[in-house]
Amino acid sequence: MPFIADLHIHSKYSRACSKNLDLPHIDAWCQIKGIDLVATADFTYPAWFKELNEQLEEVDIGVYKLKDEFRSIAQVFIPESCKRDVRFILSTEISLIYKKGDKCRKIHLVILAPNLEVVAKINRELDKRGNIRSDGRPILGMDSKILLELLLSISPDIQVIPAHVWTPHFSIFGSKSGFDSVEECFEELSDHICALETGLSSDPPMNWQLSRNDKYVLVSSSDAHSLVKLGREATVFDTDKNYPSILKALRHEHEKVLGTIEFFPEEGKYHADGLRNENLCLDPEQTKKYNMKSPKTGKAITVGVLHRVSDLADRKLGARPKAAKDYWSIIPLTEVLSEIVGVGPSSKTVQRKYFELIEALGSEFYILKDAPIEDIEKVDEVLAEAIGKMRKGEVFVKPGYDGEFGVIKVFGGDENFSKNQLKMF
Amino acid sequence: MKLNAEQQEALTHLDGPVRIIAGAGTGKTFTLIHRVDALVKSGKVREGKILLLTFTNKAANELSERLVKMGHKGIKAMTFHSLAARLLKKYWCEDFEILDEKSREEIIKNLMDKFELVRSKKLIKRPENNPLLYKKYTDVLKERNALDFSLLMPSLLEFWEENPTILEKCQRLFDYVLVDEYQDVNDVQIGILKKLTELHSNICVVGDSDQTIYSWRGADASTLCDFAAEFNCVRTIILNKNYRNPPHILSAANCLIENNSNRFEKALKATVSNSEKINYWSLSDEYEQEEAISFCLENYFGAISSMHDAHDLDHKSKGRGFMDLAILYRSQLEGRIIAELLAKKGYPYQISNNEYFWNKKEVRGFMAELSVLRNYKFVRDQKFSSWLGERIDDFVKAGKFSGTQISRLNQLVIYAIAYDSLSLKEALLQFIVEYEIVEDQDNLIFDNKINLLTLHAAKGLEFPIVMIIGLEEGALPSKKSINDEYMLEEERRLMFVGMTRATEELHLFSRSKFRSEKKDQSRFISEIPLDFIEYKSLPSQRMDRLKRKSAKRAQIKMF
């Protein structure tokens, strides 16, 4: 049975994260969202690691569930239609800041670990090398390669996945402080890398423009800092729900990764180029025309993901490599509802509507991705039309830039919006 | 790298006593190694007959390593202690035992019990204060055929005294003797050197009186000056071309140290070209200091956590590595404040200590007591570091400790700050475990973390960016040195050592108020001519933020 996995989220112990990101709440919200397997996140943080040990029990090799006695802590109403067994996998994100080749590198990496014993070892080693007690996502001064070497010496079953690989800051291909290739970053250990996390601001077709990345399987995760953002992107696996099978799928059996659930990349905060403080949003051509500097203030323009990808690309947009996987572009359900109702996504009206819908139809992912349009029509005709359009990619976009989220609309917006290209196949 | 004229001169006079005054950053080790190389190449002496003496094992290893790289594998670089131990083993007794601290204490304690003396910690540390006890102690040592660490060098001298033939043998072991960091030698070491080089007078010492910061261990700033008389030395070579510090920083350090009278007169000349002035932050209180340091860190490292800030911060940032920065302080209290700030912000940092910190008796003693508290029932909710501080206070009250020991114990609190985010119980357990696994982690300067060091521990090191905090009267110079001209000079040397650690940028910080107490700016700042100083202040945005924060604090206080 295929299942949906979100391999990169955060707990309440990470900086700027919601205080209710604890295991019982994550478990509850994964059901509402339709996530089957979710990252524990932040396992290097001592207090959180303790919670993991207390509240989780292993149900299959390297895969855990929330112990029943902790369920009631989350006072969240979960409709019958959404109920499922959520599984946890040990996964965390680490921020590396170091110098290589005289340039300052700031790289975020996701680390998957096979079990709690290995995590204990990882924590012990990292504790010696950096400060893991200040932040759920610790900052280390280590070189990515050295960290990878260390992790592999702890257990060969640890997997490192570069996180949101295209964001200008804190990513392996980032324009600001990243590298141009995996090899530049990991050198002779590069073969260990088997998967790349696309991040919100890029989707698979953008990534397909780089032939040298064909060998990597693309994964998507939410990097959620709050419960409602869980699963805003995710990966669909078709394998057994245990650590060895998932690891095998990522490493060798890429056919067991069915594809990814994606934001429209324009919605991501770093899709286009621009400067947030100047309300300046540009496409790559314009930025080049302005010599990478704001025509108004002369400040360096933040180069977005679209630009960065095209700089490194060796294929035209639209090329589809042989091993390419399916993907599903979605707009979060609350945003679709918000457009329909005409009030904000976190308003009471939208929230009420959201829960009515998932109660009637099923989890958010089911509604967005799988539910037959006729079934949705029976509950809400306008929504059915919106979801139909979304699934076909018939949406209007106003791209995000320099930390400002983009906006995606189904029924059209003002003059700032442009019509999205239709799905190419 | 080529030798400069002065360094070249240091290699030309190979025979007889030679004194090399090597100021900070003048290529002291470089010259020392080339002198050894020149000795070997001159054909006067084979490698095995050259002795290189240092103060720490670390320095000995470094010198050996560099010599091996030059192709000299047979030269002996070692510490004074290890020289004494080796000679005693060879000529006095092959299998005498060198007691470690623990066995030494055990013997003394047993004797105290036997002679019904009250067990006092002070007496355990210094049995010589009780002649009877000391006599008995040395008797036991004789019986056991053992020496403790502190007895190695005096015993060697005594042994030579009694056995002139052996002394002569020892004197023939080495034809050339070189001593690194000569400013740190004490009388016993001078005695050994005199005897050892009596026949040939081939002794070359290298050092800098401006970097004598170990008076409390018997070193004296005048030692280098006195060398001429003690060893009949007529040849002094002064290395004064500095290859480390930017000109403004160096000139400032020169001006500062000229205020010392007890020193070997010399002025260092800069060779580095860099127009960087000293950044001086005169701040109103500890909160403003926190903001100023955060501001500096952001400028150096850019955003470390929030992607949202990344754009603004990274534009301005200089993209430094964490290891490029060292924050230096005189007292443990300052170290604690800085560690707290860095821990809160999530910066990776390391506290570098003098060698053997974790092996110090008082540290081991306290940690042993702490591990008994494994199951401690915490009654009050507080930070782990402040709880640990209280335990240290209790520990100190129950025993007798020197100022240095107390300050070393208090350093543990700085380590403890990293555990403050845990529950008390958890923090205690992890802290104990951590202690059990510290091996030789001290002085791991090469990890990419911000370095926190006392000024004492910073000696011999260099960093692109140096910040010295707590430049206030009563802090640096310290309270007890203010009315003591001799100690005041040592404090000034500490400041000098701190300033000359910076290879690119130097920041000095002082507060006019600290914990609600008024403070005067350190006299050392006033001793630096204004030309070399750039006054820094926070941008208005940051000042506004600070004002908002202080208004909030005032509000909290009111309710």
Side-chain angles (χ1 to χ4, degrees):
Chain A
M1 258 289 273
F3 64 87
I4 296 176
D6 186 350
L7 300 176
H8 174 189
I9 69 162
H10 288 281
S11 78
K12 60 183 172 182
Y13 292 113
S14 273
R15 228 152 263 241
C17 279
S18 152
K19 289 293 151 238
N20 50 17
L21 275 165
D22 52 28
L23 292 170
H25 280 92
I26 293 170
D27 182 86
W29 273 86
C30 280
Q31 299 182 51
I32 291 167
K33 293 276 177 178
I35 301 163
D36 302 291
L37 180 100
V38 68
T40 57
D42 298 357
F43 64 53
T44 56
Y45 194 82
W48 183 244
F49 181 59
K50 199 172 152 223
E51 280 178 43
L52 298 182
N53 278 291
E54 283 164 4
Q55 300 183 7
L56 296 180
E57 62 183 317
E58 195 167 7
V59 281
D60 198 343
I61 308 169
V63 164
Y64 301 78
K65 70 173 253 229
L66 179 69
K67 286 181 188 162
D68 292 331
E69 64 259 41
F70 293 100
R71 268 174 216 293
S72 56
I73 292 174
Q75 303 204 327
V76 179
F77 168 70
I78 306 161
E80 262 326 296
S81 59
C82 296
K83 285 205 167 139
R84 65 184 63 224
D85 295 323
V86 175
R87 297 290 177 252
F88 289 86
I89 187 167
L90 294 158
S91 163
T92 199
E93 183 186 34
I94 288 194
S95 176
L96 301 176
I97 301 183
Y98 61 99
K99 254 187 169 167
K100 183 167 180 178
D102 230 41
K103 205 179 142 191
C104 184
R105 316 289 177 164
K106 301 184 179 182
I107 314 268
H108 285 181
L109 299 174
V110 170
I111 298 170
L112 301 181
N115 54 53
L116 286 165
E117 292 73 51
V118 168
V119 168
K121 282 189 200 153
I122 296 174
N123 293 354
R124 213 175 149 120
E125 288 303 319
L126 294 188
D127 196 8
K128 288 189 212 163
R129 290 166 174 82
N131 178 359
I132 60 170
R133 299 192 189 87
S134 301
D135 194 345
R137 180 190 60 208
I139 300 160
L140 303 174
M142 288 174 89
D143 184 293
S144 306
K145 189 181 97 177
I146 309 287
L147 173 69
L148 176 55
E149 206 167 22
L150 171 76
L151 292 172
L152 293 178
S153 75
I154 294 169
S155 160
D157 294 332
I158 294 172
Q159 184 59 49
V160 169
I161 302 176
H164 40 73
V165 296
W166 293 108
T167 50
H169 311 282
F170 303 112
S171 80
I172 188 168
F173 302 142
S175 57
K176 285 281 175 195
S177 41
F179 296 92
D180 286 352
S181 68
V182 169
E183 286 74 16
E184 232 185 284
C185 178
F186 289 104
E187 297 178 6
E188 75 275 11
L189 297 182
S190 298
D191 283 349
H192 168 85
I193 302 300
C194 56
L196 301 176
E197 186 191 282
T198 63
L200 299 184
S201 299
S202 86
D203 64 358
M206 288 170 69
N207 282 275
W208 296 337
Q209 290 178 262
L210 277 82
S211 63
R212 66 162 172 262
N213 286 350
D214 285 354
K215 59 182 177 233
Y216 305 113
V217 64
L218 299 178
V219 294
S220 274
S221 305
S222 68
D223 196 358
H225 284 43
S226 65
L227 291 166
V228 290
K229 296 207 163 145
L230 286 169
R232 56 185 167 175
E233 292 205 334
T235 309
V236 185
F237 287 87
D238 185 13
T239 171
D240 290 332
K241 250 184 263 169
N242 59 47
Y243 190 85
S245 303
I246 295 166
L247 187 65
K248 218 153 120 199
L250 289 170
R251 285 186 176 176
H252 311 295
E253 301 177 345
H254 288 180
E255 68 279 6
K256 298 269 173 80
V257 179
L258 296 186
T260 50
I261 301 172
E262 299 276 338
F263 254 37
F264 285 94
E266 295 85 353
E267 187 167 0
K269 285 198 267 192
Y270 296 97
H271 183 73
D273 302 345
L275 282 172
R276 186 171 66 220
N277 297 338
E278 301 181 20
N279 283 324
L280 183 71
C281 173
L282 305 166
D283 66 37
E285 289 313 310
Q286 290 170 303
T287 310
K288 282 180 194 150
K289 213 175 76 198
Y290 290 137
N291 240 336
M292 321 295 281
K293 285 193 185 104
S294 157
K296 260 190 276 173
T297 58
K299 251 180 101 175
I301 289 166
T302 303
V303 169
V305 167
L306 191 64
H307 191 143
R308 178 71 179 153
V309 171
S310 75
D311 278 352
L312 297 180
D314 59 347
R315 288 195 191 118
K316 287 236 168 329
L317 187 65
R320 190 183 164 105
K322 248 197 297 174
K325 316 215 163 282
D326 282 342
Y327 68 97
W328 298 267
S329 298
I330 55 158
I331 309 169
L333 184 55
T334 49
E335 285 174 28
V336 181
L337 293 173
S338 156
E339 188 187 350
I340 294 172
V341 187
V343 290
S346 48
S347 64
K348 277 208 178 103
T349 323
V350 168
Q351 293 302 315
R352 197 178 54 237
K353 190 89 190 143
Y354 179 90
F355 277 93
E356 276 168 25
L357 283 166
I358 59 165
E359 190 166 10
L361 292 163
S363 71
E364 179 171 345
F365 272 144
Y366 176 74
I367 297 174
L368 294 175
K369 180 172 154 288
D370 300 322
I373 297 292
E374 312 85 77
D375 289 3
I376 306 177
E377 256 167 12
K378 281 177 211 153
V379 188
D380 186 327
E381 279 180 27
V382 190
L383 180 70
E385 190 194 341
I387 291 197
K389 280 174 179 284
M390 179 196 80
R391 287 187 190 165
K392 280 184 259 168
E394 291 171 16
V395 296
F396 295 85
V397 300
K398 185 174 133 192
Y401 65 98
D402 191 25
E404 199 67 36
F405 270 115
V407 186
I408 309 292
K409 297 211 165 185
V410 183
F411 298 111
D414 53 35
E415 69 282 6
N416 287 325
F417 283 79
S418 61
K419 204 159 187 245
N420 194 43
Q421 294 160 292
L422 291 188
K423 245 183 154 177
M424 282 157 294
F425 34 86
Chain B
M1 270 227 293
K2 265 181 63 186
L3 295 152
N4 66 29
E6 293 80 25
Q7 290 170 339
Q8 193 64 51
E9 202 197 337
L11 315 190
T12 44
H13 311 286
L14 297 174
D15 293 325
V18 174
R19 169 173 63 174
I20 303 175
I21 309 285
T26 53
K28 182 192 66 166
T29 312
F30 180 73
T31 309
L32 191 60
I33 281 173
H34 276 83
R35 187 175 162 96
V36 174
D37 183 58
L39 271 172
V40 176
K41 286 192 176 140
S42 72
K44 287 174 187 289
V45 55
R46 21 178 212 95
E47 289 189 349
K49 302 214 96 184
I50 301 175
L51 174 67
L52 200 49
L53 287 171
T54 65
F55 276 84
T56 63
N57 286 316
K58 200 173 150 227
N61 293 339
E62 266 172 32
L63 284 172
S64 299
E65 242 170 66
R66 286 175 69 166
L67 283 167
V68 167
K69 271 192 196 142
M70 285 185 97
H72 304 307
K73 290 185 187 137
I75 291 156
K76 294 186 176 65
M78 62 183 89
T79 62
F80 277 95
H81 280 106
S82 110
L83 174 74
R86 284 187 203 198
L87 293 181
L88 287 169
K89 286 233 154 146
K90 192 163 176 188
Y91 296 105
W92 175 55
C93 171
E94 206 174 290
D95 52 1
F96 83 91
E97 181 190 2
I98 300 174
L99 292 182
D100 60 16
E101 212 42 48
K102 215 174 139 192
S103 338
R104 177 180 172 277
E105 271 179 30
E106 226 163 77
I107 296 174
I108 298 172
K109 280 183 193 159
N110 285 341
L111 287 171
M112 287 175 147
D113 294 349
K114 197 170 159 195
F115 295 98
E116 293 176 356
L117 290 166
V118 183
R119 269 198 191 191
S120 94
K121 286 204 173 155
K122 197 171 178 182
L123 206 51
I124 294 174
K125 190 174 159 28
R126 296 190 182 281
E128 56 270 31
N129 290 347
N130 180 322
L132 167 79
L133 178 67
Y134 195 62
K135 170 86 179 50
K136 295 289 168 196
Y137 172 62
T138 46
D139 286 349
V140 174
L141 292 188
K142 258 180 215 148
E143 220 170 277
R144 261 179 79 159
N145 202 7
L147 285 176
D148 70 24
F149 209 62
S150 65
L151 282 172
L152 282 172
M153 287 192 276
S155 304
L156 179 66
L157 268 184
E158 213 173 289
F159 176 60
W160 279 348
E161 206 81 39
E162 290 158 9
N163 300 275
T165 48
I166 302 271
L167 169 64
E168 211 184 310
K169 272 188 188 165
C170 290
Q171 286 169 335
R172 295 191 190 288
L173 282 177
F174 304 105
D175 292 344
Y176 289 84
V177 177
L178 299 95
V179 188
D180 191 14
E181 307 271 16
Y182 186 78
Q183 75 278 355
D184 289 339
V185 295
N186 60 26
D187 289 344
V188 178
Q189 288 159 332
I190 293 175
I192 289 179
L193 288 172
K194 272 187 165 171
K195 290 266 184 230
L196 202 58
T197 59
E198 211 168 34
L199 295 183
H200 48 64
S201 306
N202 290 329
I203 177 167
C204 168
V205 302
V206 185
D208 179 10
S209 53
D210 293 337
Q211 296 187 65
T212 308
I213 52 174
Y214 289 112
S215 297
W216 46 273
R217 281 211 301 233
D220 189 291
S222 56
T223 307
L224 258 178
C225 302
D226 299 344
F227 177 80
E230 297 254 22
F231 287 84
N232 274 325
C233 171
V234 289
R235 197 145 275 140
T236 297
I237 294 143
I238 301 175
L239 305 182
N240 61 359
K241 283 211 180 67
N242 169 295
Y243 294 95
R244 182 192 292 150
N245 312 112
H248 289 316
I249 298 176
L250 189 65
S251 306
N254 273 333
C255 293
L256 172 88
I257 204 67
E258 271 166 22
N259 292 292
N260 273 10
S261 54
N262 192 6
R263 69 185 285 258
F264 195 96
E265 199 84 26
K266 67 177 178 305
L268 296 171
K269 295 190 181 72
T271 62
V272 177
S273 59
N274 166 335
S275 56
E276 201 65 46
K277 289 191 178 181
I278 295 172
N279 301 293
Y280 175 46
W281 299 82
S282 171
L283 305 160
S284 59
D285 54 20
E286 60 267 37
Y287 302 105
E288 198 181 323
Q289 172 176 288
E290 187 176 314
E291 195 69 21
I293 291 174
S294 308
F295 177 70
C296 291
L297 296 178
E298 284 164 18
N299 280 332
Y300 284 121
F301 308 116
I304 58 158
S305 172
S306 155
M307 255 198 237
H308 205 72
D309 299 340
H311 183 63
D312 284 339
L313 293 180
D314 285 7
H315 257 318
K316 293 177 222 139
S317 107
K318 305 184 179 168
R320 290 285 191 166
F322 294 124
M323 66 193 292
D324 291 347
L325 171 65
I327 304 179
L328 311 182
Y329 40 86
R330 174 73 178 89
S331 75
Q332 304 305 339
L333 172 65
E334 300 288 351
R336 213 184 288 184
I337 291 170
I338 288 295
E340 258 170 39
L341 173 67
L342 297 184
K344 189 171 79 186
K345 302 243 165 197
Y347 285 98
Y349 65 90
Q350 62 186 352
I351 300 146
S352 306
N353 265 308
N354 287 318
E355 276 186 302
Y356 317 123
F357 173 82
W358 295 99
N359 277 327
K360 291 290 178 194
K361 194 178 58 186
E362 62 280 7
V363 175
R364 281 189 316 170
F366 176 74
M367 288 307 293
E369 274 196 15
L370 197 66
S371 43
V372 179
L373 296 181
R374 234 170 250 274
N375 297 316
Y376 189 85
K377 292 266 175 298
F378 292 94
V379 282
R380 255 185 320 136
D381 190 33
Q382 63 185 136
K383 280 189 184 161
F384 175 65
S385 56
S386 45
W387 177 82
L388 193 82
E390 289 170 12
R391 298 291 76 72
I392 290 171
D393 291 345
D394 293 350
F395 183 72
V396 167
K397 261 179 232 148
K400 285 230 169 104
F401 296 96
S402 70
T404 322
Q405 288 175 317
I406 294 171
S407 127
R408 206 175 278 132
L409 283 166
N410 277 319
Q411 209 154 325
L412 287 168
V413 179
I414 305 180
Y415 283 96
I417 286 165
Y419 300 77
D420 278 345
S421 63
L422 304 180
S423 72
L424 281 163
K425 202 173 155 56
E426 202 68 18
L428 174 61
L429 288 179
Q430 287 209 22
F431 189 78
I432 294 170
V433 170
E434 174 111 335
Y435 166 70
E436 285 163 359
I437 58 172
V438 234
E439 281 140 298
D440 292 318
Q441 280 191 61
D442 300 339
N443 290 307
L444 279 184
I445 298 297
F446 298 107
D447 268 14
N448 188 18
K449 301 179 192 169
I450 295 172
N451 293 288
L452 305 192
L453 306 97
T454 60
L455 286 159
H456 280 103
K459 196 177 152 220
L461 304 171
E462 59 175 53
F463 303 90
I465 310 159
V466 169
M467 296 181 179
I468 307 177
I469 58 168
L471 285 166
E472 294 131 29
E473 289 289 301
L476 183 65
S478 68
K479 214 176 258 161
K480 57 173 190 259
S481 70
I482 283 181
N483 297 316
D484 178 340
E485 200 49 43
Y486 184 80
M487 287 315 289
L488 192 61
E489 292 208 350
E490 174 126 335
E491 296 287 304
R492 194 177 280 113
R493 285 191 293 269
L494 265 180
M495 175 76 177
F496 175 83
V497 165
M499 289 172 73
T500 51
R501 298 310 95 197
T503 61
E504 292 174 37
E505 295 176 44
L506 175 65
H507 293 262
L508 305 178
F509 294 86
S510 72
R511 295 154 297 205
S512 36
K513 211 168 75 189
F514 178 52
R515 303 204 166 154
S516 311
E517 210 176 291
K518 212 182 147 313
K519 297 282 169 193
D520 292 323
Q521 166 192 290
S522 165
R523 67 187 74 196
F524 299 149
I525 302 253
S526 338
E527 288 171 8
I528 300 172
L530 290 174
D531 300 354
F532 304 127
I533 293 181
E534 187 173 322
Y535 283 85
K536 303 294 266 189
S537 53
L538 281 164
S540 58
Q541 252 172 310
R542 303 293 287 244
M543 285 307 281
D544 292 345
R545 193 157 104 187
L546 204 59
K547 272 181 210 145
R548 280 199 301 275
K549 273 194 208 161
S550 95
K552 217 171 174 183
R553 266 198 315 275
Q555 238 173 14
I556 293 170
K557 252 189 199 161
M558 271 172 64
F559 295 107

